[in-house]
Amino acid sequence: MGATVVRLRDAALSWGTVEAPATLPAPAPVPMRWRVGAVPVVLFTAAAWLIGPRRGRFSRLVRLACVGRDLPPATVYQSRYAVRAVRWAARALPMRWACLEDSTAAALLLTMARRRAEWRHGVATDPIRLHAWIADPEGEPVEEPADTALYAPTYTPDGPGPARADKEYDRE
């Protein structure tokens, strides 16, 4: 029994990644009120990540990210400020802080500002990888690299902004 080699024409080589910068970009400007608000939100998100069983981390953070789902949608600027402020505040944490925690804290910060974030979780292939982010009211990723377009949203608990805005709520 030998291995079968399948040759694909016009297939580009893939090493399963895109180019990434070797240095961190300079932090974007964020108004002071957003930075001040981000500190307790980042600490609260970190506590939610740490407290409780490890198997329930993802669901705890998703529930936290969707707390403000019935609020009016955030503007593009509010969403940008929330993401930037959270990234600024999280730099001091001595723990794992990645896209899931980042997007959850940004959504929670927007909730504190009485606005809703469109939280997303998606998957990309070649290789399989996961990512979480928040989107603006038009569904575009906020403060994310261009390769976020490679991720297909697989879990959008609050639905896309324009589709949700056109729907009548079932609260009668």
Side-chain angles (χ1 to χ4, degrees), residues 30-31 33-42 45 64-65 67 71 74 78-87 89 102-117 134:
V30 183
R33 68 180 179 273
W34 286 94
R35 286 189 281 169
V36 169
V39 171
V41 168
V42 164
T45 304
L64 191 58
V67 166
L71 296 171
Q78 290 169 328
S79 299
R80 284 183 186 162
Y81 289 154
V83 171
R84 289 175 184 175
V86 163
R87 289 179 180 163
D102 203 35
S103 61
T104 299
L108 189 58
L109 182 56
L110 285 168
T111 299
M112 301 274 295
R114 307 295 301 152
R115 294 292 175 186
R116 178 182 80 238
I134 63 170

Side-chain angles (χ1 to χ4, degrees), residues 11-161:
L13 293 177
S14 170
W15 285 269
T17 186
V18 294
E19 290 184 14
T23 61
L24 293 175
V30 183
M32 182 59 80
R33 68 180 179 273
W34 286 94
R35 286 189 281 169
V36 169
V39 171
V41 168
V42 164
L43 292 174
F44 186 81
T45 304
W49 185 85
L50 287 168
I51 296 171
R54 186 175 180 172
R55 290 175 48 92
R57 283 182 182 163
F58 181 77
S59 61
R60 280 195 309 273
L61 292 180
V62 169
R63 284 193 307 270
L64 191 58
C66 297
V67 166
R69 67 195 315 176
D70 292 328
L71 296 171
T75 65
V76 173
Y77 288 107
Q78 290 169 328
S79 299
R80 284 183 186 162
Y81 289 154
V83 171
R84 289 175 184 175
V86 163
R87 289 179 180 163
W88 173 83
R91 292 184 310 180
L93 289 179
M95 63 177 281
R96 173 195 179 273
W97 191 267
C99 60
L100 178 60
E101 296 80 14
D102 203 35
S103 61
T104 299
L108 189 58
L109 182 56
L110 285 168
T111 299
M112 301 274 295
R114 307 295 301 152
R115 294 292 175 186
R116 178 182 80 238
E118 304 292 341
W119 187 85
R120 301 283 178 268
H121 187 262
V123 64
T125 58
D126 193 20
I128 301 289
R129 56 200 186 278
L130 304 173
H131 187 53
W133 68 95
I134 63 170
D136 64 16
E138 286 75 40
E140 295 298 316
V142 175
E143 293 291 312
E144 292 291 329
D147 70 338
T148 304
L150 300 173
Y151 292 86
T154 57
Y155 191 63
T156 58
D158 49 2

